[in-house]
Amino acid sequence: GMLGLADSGDAVQPMPSGIFWDRPEWDTESLRDVEIEPIASGVPEECFYLRFGTWDNQIWMQRLMDEFNGDLGTMVSLRGYQSRVKSKFLDQMVVESNELDRLFGGNLIADVAVIGNDMFFEDGSSVGVLFHAKSSRALESNLNSKRRKFAKQHAEEGCVISDVQVDGAKVQFLRTPDNRYRSFYVVQDDNHLITTSLSLARRFIEASAGGGCMAQNPEFRFARQQMPLSRDDTVFVFIPSRFLQNLLGPQYQIELRRRNRSITDMQMVELAGLAATHEGLDASSQENLIAHGFLPERFGQRPDGSQLTRGESSWVDSIRGRRGFYVPIPEVEMTGVTAQEQAWYAQHRVWLDEN
């Protein structure tokens, strides 16, 4: 089974075309006067959207757990989810929930939402926390000083802060070389986004300028018409059809397959190494393991040219980074696919079209 994943050939075929989706017609006239929360003007229309609004000294992290579990349970596998979200998704972005509770209490933040392109928290996801500030300057200086302090405390791990220019906007990037911490921070008007993903930061900047933003999206406006702001929901969950379409598109599906292949390869090297050591052989190199028949001949030859190396505490993929903290999928450049990948996705499309 594991060996069957190996793709032969180079990734020289063009990207397969995505699935053709029906576009519903909306009566935009009737949606014109729907009241929309200001934070939605910074949300890219293809993202999932979890809005928490205001709450009276409730611990928002607990809310996040409960609500995610209740509303999105069917979409996400939630075993062991609580500790994972706590340690992974906020942690990687350098967002502390107790700190945010304090900021809410201190009236710096008027509204908050979690947005993203996927929910692959296990291996590295494209997600962000979006704040609508009551006082933008105060919030920015507060978050900046926290981030500088954090970088200083983690300097030994190679934690650095740099600025990236995206479409004329300044995006602050806090990171460690192994992606253990990977946090982009960008401000547009009164919306502040902290995200794991540069492509999400770029889309936030575009959306804030009116390019494909949720506040203008008829599907979202229709949802808001059915569930108006006046209901004052503790949490509002919106999953646009574009979100699901992206997940099922070729970039996501083929990269997920490559990700799985990368993880499978790591597991195979581990097992092969244990077996070789057990027989008293040198297990330090993959070549050696191949030579002694513990790994197949073509092992490690991948369509995207990525290599596996053993880091200090975990495996590292030369393109995706450290296991468990892979670069978000929208950021992995995919210029071509193998013939096998093309055929696999074509089969996949047929299945999706039929279902």
Side-chain angles (χ1 to χ4, degrees), residues 171 184 197 276:
V171 178
F184 296 93
S197 167

Side-chain angles (χ1 to χ4, degrees), residues 47-120:
C47 287
F48 75 78
Y49 175 65
L50 254 87
R51 175 183 182 250
F52 297 94
T54 55
W55 59 98
D56 313 319
N57 306 319
Q58 288 274 2
I59 295 180
W60 78 286
M61 195 59 210
Q62 197 51 51
R63 270 279 172 77
L64 174 61
M65 307 302 182
D66 299 344
E67 297 291 351
F68 241 126
N69 200 346
D71 283 292
L72 297 182
T74 48
M75 282 191 64
V76 195
S77 144
L78 288 153
R79 268 207 312 250
Y81 183 79
Q82 209 142 323
S83 60
R84 189 161 79 234
V85 175
K86 249 189 183 119
S87 61
K88 268 281 183 53
F89 129 72
L90 290 174
D91 208 18
Q92 189 184 18
M93 285 190 286
V94 190
V95 172
E96 295 171 39
S97 58
N98 56 353
E99 173 58 28
L100 292 179
D101 291 331
R102 217 177 53 68
L103 294 180
F104 269 105
N107 285 341
L108 282 184
I109 299 173
D111 199 353
V112 69
V114 176
I115 65 173
N117 299 106
D118 62 60
M119 297 170 189
F120 303 129

Side-chain angles (χ1 to χ4, degrees), residues 149-208:
K149 188 175 155 194
F150 183 92
K152 207 176 235 171
Q153 285 167 344
H154 293 262
E156 278 182 16
E157 296 158 59
C159 191
V160 290
I161 292 183
S162 58
D163 285 339
V164 191
Q165 285 294 320
V166 177
D167 298 346
K170 188 187 83 170
V171 178
Q172 188 204 74
F173 186 20
L174 179 156
R175 68 182 294 249
T176 50
D178 65 355
N179 280 342
R180 172 68 188 82
Y181 298 107
R182 176 187 176 84
S183 177
F184 296 93
Y185 172 40
V186 56
V187 184
Q188 295 286 290
D189 307 315
D190 286 330
N191 286 333
H192 296 235
L193 177 70
I194 296 181
T195 174
T196 55
S197 167
L198 183 60
S199 55
L200 189 53
R202 177 175 286 116
R203 282 291 295 120
F204 165 67
I205 294 163
E206 286 172 6
S208 302

